[in-house]
Amino acid sequence: MRAVLETADIAIVALYFVLVLCIGFFAMWKSNRSTVSGYFLAGRSMTWVAIGASLFVSNIGSEHFIGLAGSGAASGFAVGAWEFNALLLLQLLGWVFIPIYIRSGVYTMPEYLSKRFGGHRIQVYFAALSLILYIFTKLSVDLYSGALFIQESLGWNLYVSVILLISMTALLTVTGGLVAVIYTDTLQALLMIIGALTLMVISMMEVGGFEEVKRRYMLASPNVTSILLTYNLSNTNSCNVDPKKDALKMLRNPTDEDVPWPGFILGQTPASVWYWCADQVIVQRVLAAKNIAHAKGSTLMAGFLKLLPMFIIVVPGMISRILFADDIACINPEHCMQVCGSRAGCSNIAYPRLVMKLVPVGLRGLMMAVMIAALMSDLDSIFNSASTIFTLDVYKLIRKTASSRELMIVGRIFVAFMVVISIAWVPIIVEMQGGQMYLYIQEVADYLTPPVAALFLLAIFWKRCNEQGAFYGGMAGFVLGAVRLTLAFAYRAPECDQPDNRPEFIKDIHYMYVATALFWVTGLITVIVSLLTSPPTKEQIRTTTFWSKKSLVVKESCSPKDEPYKMQEKSILRCSENSEAINHIIPNGKSEDSIKGLQPEDINLLVTCREEGNPVASLGHSEAETPVDAYSNGQAALMGEKERKKETEDGSRYWKFIDWFCGFKSKSLSKRSLRDLMEEEAVCLQMLEEPPQVKIVLNIGLVAVCSLGIFMFVYFSL
């Protein structure tokens, strides 16, 4: 019998929606959404607490509550390995990757590849791959898992519920940009943790504590006789429904079907580098930090929070099997179909079943809000990041002269386009049901992402890696992975009571070992081709590798065709606590006295000159409204007075409201002094600076969180 929402439950869910809308509209009112940086990177003004919370909920979506708990119910502790692995990789992001991304001045990961290697083909390849992965491993799975929870727990109409959630999420993303996403994620993180901890405590009390969970889980087998008497089954055969003998171990023997330890370390870990260090959804949040200290602090916070899913999601999933073994561990495809509507298995209903059976009235509304929070946080992350990639890495190639306003409009339109795709994908998601959804996500990703991880690691750590090597290595890895993925879908695992007639190389080779091969083959081809072709230019590796990330002052050279743009008495704008010490760049033929009367409108941003014969393709963002916007475009330079054009104000109140609602009106710069603009440019260069005391605290936190992660691996694997 389905649970029914009581008045208290409805009130809690309604309060949640009101809070989210208020926070989103507050972000609209407060933030500067009229610029590329303001909309896509929250103006690089976010603190470590907000970003850390956003990182956590961007990862812990509804597919975690459904898939992670389901895998815990089906196979025990093994699935927790991904969470502790993420804890360590987040620190790799904060201490290695983010400083390079900040120094490079990029908004998107495809843009970084373009700056590092030159040309556009790698950029387009990675942008297209990212959007494909968003659809097949994130968007579709999120919608299915969220819909599954709603259907299992409340009996709401599936399509109406999904359309409502998608529409509300898209509204927040379109209007507020990344600021609204991060602000709402902060609320959702708090709500998610409180709700999940509440359910964990209730379920732990039900079974008698953590030690009892481990003991009783190993005995949690369905009562086959009772099931055959209760259900009218034509097929009386039962599959192997007993818990696995090594269910209480995380990293398992090399032939295990879930987490073979060699495959996890050598294949899954490099593949996860893509998600945690090069995926737009994750990296975009950290790039919104005020400076590198806040960026590192956010990855530390997210790392500590990643200790929680093992206990608040995986363990409750195991408890659900203990309490409802006859349903969660269904005995054959026919029985599974009657219980949950899927012939592959019913472990995915473990978490919603626990919620609806154990949680009292009132708290059930809180858990409903938690699941909505998880779904919306993932969706708004995907919408915002996908629109960023499409706008800056695809549309910008087509419309190189696009203005900031045009980019903002296109970004919002693409979000609406993603909404349409999401709704159209719902019927397909309903049919795409599997026994362990979380492992499905990992399998698909492991066939496509290891080549990307190899390219990013080589790009950052090996200066000699060039565009030809990266392209051919990446394409070779992609083709091999795509072929293996196609074969995996063509030869699906048979139902548990049927013989397995798949080819040996499909059924006997774990996908993590395939990921291992893809990673190392891609790296080997990239190295060989790079060594056989010309090295990258100095400009390509000046700010884009690990070894040059602290090189803040460089010597530029210009080609003859750039001669009109050469500066007399040119000097790089340097950071200084004393604003009087800022070095000015004097334009051609002008004395310092002659520029005192210049207005901010007279300032242009000069794209850094490239060496003749070694052009570097760089997507400069036109019409940068703030120094942060212009950070990736080069250094500030005075080019002489521009013709001042008066902005015409639209007299229509209707259009004024529309402009405010979508954030199109940019703030006038006329009231800002030249000194203010130059000081803000100096602040951009200070983003990589860390006070010694802060650096010590961050490094202590790094040691602590990494030690905890390693301890958890060892504890749950022995």
Side-chain angles (χ1 to χ4, degrees), residues 563-602:
E563 192 69 22
Y565 300 102
K566 282 188 177 180
M567 299 293 103
Q568 295 178 3
E569 303 178 28
K570 175 183 175 183
S571 62
I572 299 293
L573 188 64
R574 290 191 290 270
C575 307
S576 173
E577 295 181 0
N578 182 1
S579 60
E580 298 295 335
I582 295 178
N583 292 305
H584 296 271
I585 303 171
I586 310 301
N588 293 341
K590 292 187 179 292
S591 65
E592 188 164 1
D593 292 336
S594 66
I595 67 170
K596 290 181 179 178
L598 292 182
Q599 298 298 319
E601 293 90 335
D602 300 326

Side-chain angles (χ1 to χ4, degrees), residues 646-716:
K646 294 183 179 180
E647 294 183 358
T648 58
E649 296 291 338
D650 194 329
S652 170
R653 293 183 179 180
Y654 171 78
W655 285 110
K656 285 183 179 180
F657 173 77
I658 294 297
D659 279 346
W660 171 82
F661 187 76
C662 292
F664 291 148
K665 288 289 185 181
S666 60
K667 295 181 180 179
S668 174
L669 295 178
S670 60
K671 296 182 180 180
R672 300 168 68 191
S673 67
L674 174 62
R675 182 180 300 278
D676 290 338
L677 290 177
M678 299 188 74
E679 286 179 350
E680 288 183 14
E681 182 70 12
V683 169
C684 294
L685 297 179
Q686 284 181 311
M687 289 181 69
L688 290 176
E689 295 185 1
E690 295 177 86
Q693 298 86 349
V694 173
K695 190 172 184 178
I696 292 174
V697 172
L698 290 172
N699 288 336
I700 292 174
L702 174 66
V703 173
V705 74
C706 291
S707 299
L708 275 174
I710 295 172
F711 170 77
M712 288 296 180
F713 265 120
V714 174
Y715 176 80
F716 284 103

Side-chain angles (χ1 to χ4, degrees), residues 378-552:
D378 248 19
L379 290 178
D380 65 23
S381 300
I382 294 168
F383 287 151
N384 188 272
S385 298
S387 66
T388 304
I389 288 178
F390 178 80
T391 302
L392 300 183
D393 294 306
V394 178
Y395 186 79
K396 189 70 175 175
L397 289 178
I398 301 172
R399 285 273 299 166
K400 295 182 179 180
T401 60
S403 65
S404 289
R405 180 187 177 99
E406 183 177 344
L407 292 178
M408 297 303 99
I409 294 174
V410 170
R412 289 160 169 84
I413 291 175
F414 189 75
V415 170
F417 175 71
M418 292 286 288
V419 170
V420 173
I421 292 181
S422 303
I423 296 173
W425 198 258
V426 170
I428 300 175
I429 300 167
V430 174
E431 301 299 325
M432 190 188 66
Q433 299 185 23
Q436 294 192 54
M437 184 180 63
Y438 191 79
L439 295 185
Y440 155 80
I441 300 171
Q442 303 305 326
E443 182 176 0
V444 173
D446 278 12
Y447 291 142
L448 298 177
T449 61
V452 176
L455 294 187
F456 270 88
L457 289 171
L458 286 172
I460 285 175
F461 289 107
W462 190 41
K463 291 183 178 181
R464 185 61 175 77
C465 184
N466 63 13
E467 194 272 346
Q468 293 91 338
F471 178 75
Y472 290 110
M475 290 307 298
F478 171 75
V479 170
L480 292 174
V483 169
R484 183 61 175 82
L485 178 62
T486 303
L487 292 175
F489 277 109
Y491 295 98
R492 297 304 297 168
E495 295 179 347
C496 63
D497 59 346
Q498 299 296 319
D500 191 346
N501 297 320
R502 293 177 297 168
E504 298 292 330
F505 71 94
I506 296 291
K507 67 178 181 179
D508 293 338
I509 300 179
H510 197 278
Y511 66 85
M512 290 186 187
Y513 292 122
V514 176
T516 304
L518 290 173
F519 178 80
W520 294 105
V521 166
T522 299
L524 181 62
I525 293 176
T526 301
V527 169
I528 293 174
V529 175
S530 294
L531 292 176
L532 294 177
T533 52
S534 59
T537 65
K538 292 182 179 180
E539 179 63 25
Q540 288 173 338
I541 62 175
R542 180 173 64 86
T543 62
T544 56
T545 68
F546 178 78
W547 315 109
S548 59
K549 68 180 182 181
K550 293 182 180 179
S551 176
L552 297 180

